[in-house]
Amino acid sequence: MPLPGEGRGMRVLIVKLSSFGDVVQTLPTLHDMRQALPLATFDWVVEEAFAPLLRAHVPRLGRVIPLAQRRWRKTPFSASVRAEKAAFTQTLQAESYDVVIDFQGLIKSALIARQARLTPGGWRATYGNGSEDCGYEWPVRFLVQRPQPMPPRIHSLQRYRRLAALALGYPPREDGIAYDELQVTPVQPDGSVMLVHGTTRVENEWPLAHWVQIGQHLVAQGLPVSVPQANAYEENFAKQLCQAIGPQAHMLPRMGLAALAAQMAGCVGVVGVDSGLSHLAVALNLPHVQIFSQPRIWRAGPLGSSYQVAVGGARAPDVDTVWQAWQAVWSVFHNIQHEPQAIPA
């Protein structure tokens, strides 16, 4: 069946609201869709906190449409929130779409997808069933025209890619993961390893004493460390960490995600807990060790790179495990960088 608008260039709406790591992991799917539909225009509905990153560093997007469901939930009936919701709906419906894809698979995201206007013959799609350890609310299959079947066990990144392929009618891809839609220019290369300790989930935290040891090992290796912070709790943690490591550790000032992406792009590597910033390190193609404290490691860890690994799982890893993983990825990365290049015939 031909896709609506295929001849003139389709307009596709991506609905992927949060979280930050999930938004980043959707970028390879945007690459796939562009490869399959080079004339298409892609717009994106996303939580307001993540919109600046998409606007600053994903330049080929059409419209980035922010919404504030997290903030609106605090005072849902206030006049200001009602006005913001009305303005969001007006902005969303200023364009009509040939295909709307809800990559979230939750009722809140499916209802956003339903608000979007369709062109004649257009449709909405999302997941037709749940997959292990992936967020899904079964009523969404009845809120769209084309729910798509998913395997019972699949990595979250591959789940996004499969949904887009089935919705848009091209063969699903499982290799060739590309983050080239993300284009970040480093503010200034600083040669540091960034220690990403912050997380919104307490169960994902790694002890301060462990971070101190990793930082000291890195400094002994000749690598300074940088430590980001996004709130008062993280600032206090970062101060303690830097003081314990010594003068080769510096705490970064608080900054937005777009600026932090540019800061991270100037680093030589990242060690981080399971968080959005760790997924950003993967997208920036940096040597990376991702620390997991939950069994979800199999569905959220890095894919496709020999110098990006996840450690831990059912319980947090110890310092030796993380340090050995860092030494391995650092060695692999530099061996790849120094491989002789083929001479063109």
Side-chain angles (χ1 to χ4, degrees), residues 321-343:
T321 299
V322 174
W323 179 240
Q324 289 169 16
W326 169 258
Q327 290 178 301
V329 300
W330 185 250
S331 175
V332 169
F333 179 77
H334 284 277
N335 286 339
I336 291 174
Q337 293 296 103
H338 295 129
E339 283 181 356
Q341 301 297 311
I343 300 175

Side-chain angles (χ1 to χ4, degrees), residues 52-324:
L53 179 93
L54 295 181
R55 286 179 174 146
H57 299 309
V58 188
R60 294 200 295 161
L61 275 176
R63 300 193 301 159
V64 176
I65 307 170
L67 83 166
Q69 284 186 335
R70 293 178 175 181
R71 180 166 54 80
W72 292 342
R73 283 198 298 265
K74 297 176 183 177
T75 55
F77 303 112
S78 69
S80 61
V81 167
R82 292 200 304 270
E84 285 187 33
K85 287 182 177 180
F88 165 77
T89 301
Q90 183 177 22
T91 300
L92 177 64
Q93 295 180 345
E95 298 283 353
S96 56
Y97 293 95
D98 299 297
V99 180
V100 177
I101 307 178
D102 168 25
F103 287 95
Q104 200 97 13
L106 302 178
I107 293 172
K108 67 178 183 180
S109 54
L111 292 175
I112 295 297
R114 283 179 65 89
Q115 288 185 55
R117 290 195 302 119
L118 296 177
T119 58
W123 65 80
R124 303 175 182 89
T126 192
Y127 312 105
N129 56 277
S131 298
E132 184 179 344
D133 270 353
C134 294
Y136 179 73
E137 294 173 343
W138 65 265
V140 301
R141 65 174 290 114
F142 302 108
L143 298 177
V144 302
Q145 290 85 359
R146 298 191 181 183
Q148 302 296 335
M150 291 291 123
R153 185 178 173 93
I154 185 172
H155 192 283
S156 57
L157 188 153
Q158 301 293 23
R159 183 172 175 246
Y160 304 147
R161 300 179 86 189
R162 180 176 179 83
L163 173 60
L166 294 177
L168 295 173
Y170 60 86
R173 297 184 58 182
E174 295 185 358
D175 58 358
I177 297 167
Y179 281 98
D180 56 1
E181 294 295 327
L182 184 71
Q183 298 179 21
V184 182
T185 301
V187 172
Q188 181 179 354
D190 66 1
S192 73
V193 176
M194 186 176 288
L195 302 184
V196 174
H197 61 91
T199 171
T200 57
R201 303 179 66 167
V202 174
E203 61 269 28
N204 288 351
E205 293 179 353
W206 207 46
L208 175 62
H210 289 11
W211 282 115
V212 171
Q213 291 181 62
I214 287 296
Q216 291 171 339
H217 286 331
L218 288 167
V219 168
Q221 188 183 358
L223 295 170
V225 301
S226 55
V227 185
Q229 47 90 20
N231 52 50
Y233 175 81
E234 290 184 10
E235 180 181 5
N236 181 59
F237 191 100
K239 284 180 178 177
Q240 295 181 68
L241 177 56
C242 291
Q243 288 171 358
I245 294 172
Q248 292 302 306
H250 69 281
M251 182 178 72
L252 297 172
R254 203 167 299 176
M255 63 187 78
L257 288 175
L260 189 54
Q263 185 75 40
M264 182 181 284
C267 294
V268 297
V270 174
V271 178
V273 294
D274 174 23
S275 68
L277 288 181
S278 274
H279 293 299
L280 181 61
V282 173
L284 292 173
N285 198 34
L286 293 168
H288 178 43
V289 177
Q290 193 168 6
I291 299 167
F292 278 81
S293 306
Q294 300 180 58
R296 56 175 258 138
I297 184 172
W298 69 268
R299 77 153 188 89
L303 289 178
S305 173
S306 57
Y307 50 84
Q308 296 173 335
V309 301
V311 293
R315 63 176 61 88
D318 59 22
V319 173
D320 286 344
T321 299
V322 174
W323 179 240
Q324 289 169 16

Side-chain angles (χ1 to χ4, degrees), residues 16-18 45-51 66-71:
K16 185 59 175 174
L17 311 179
S18 60
V45 180
V46 69
E47 269 286 338
E48 61 181 355
F50 313 129
L67 83 166
Q69 284 186 335
R70 293 178 175 181
R71 180 166 54 80

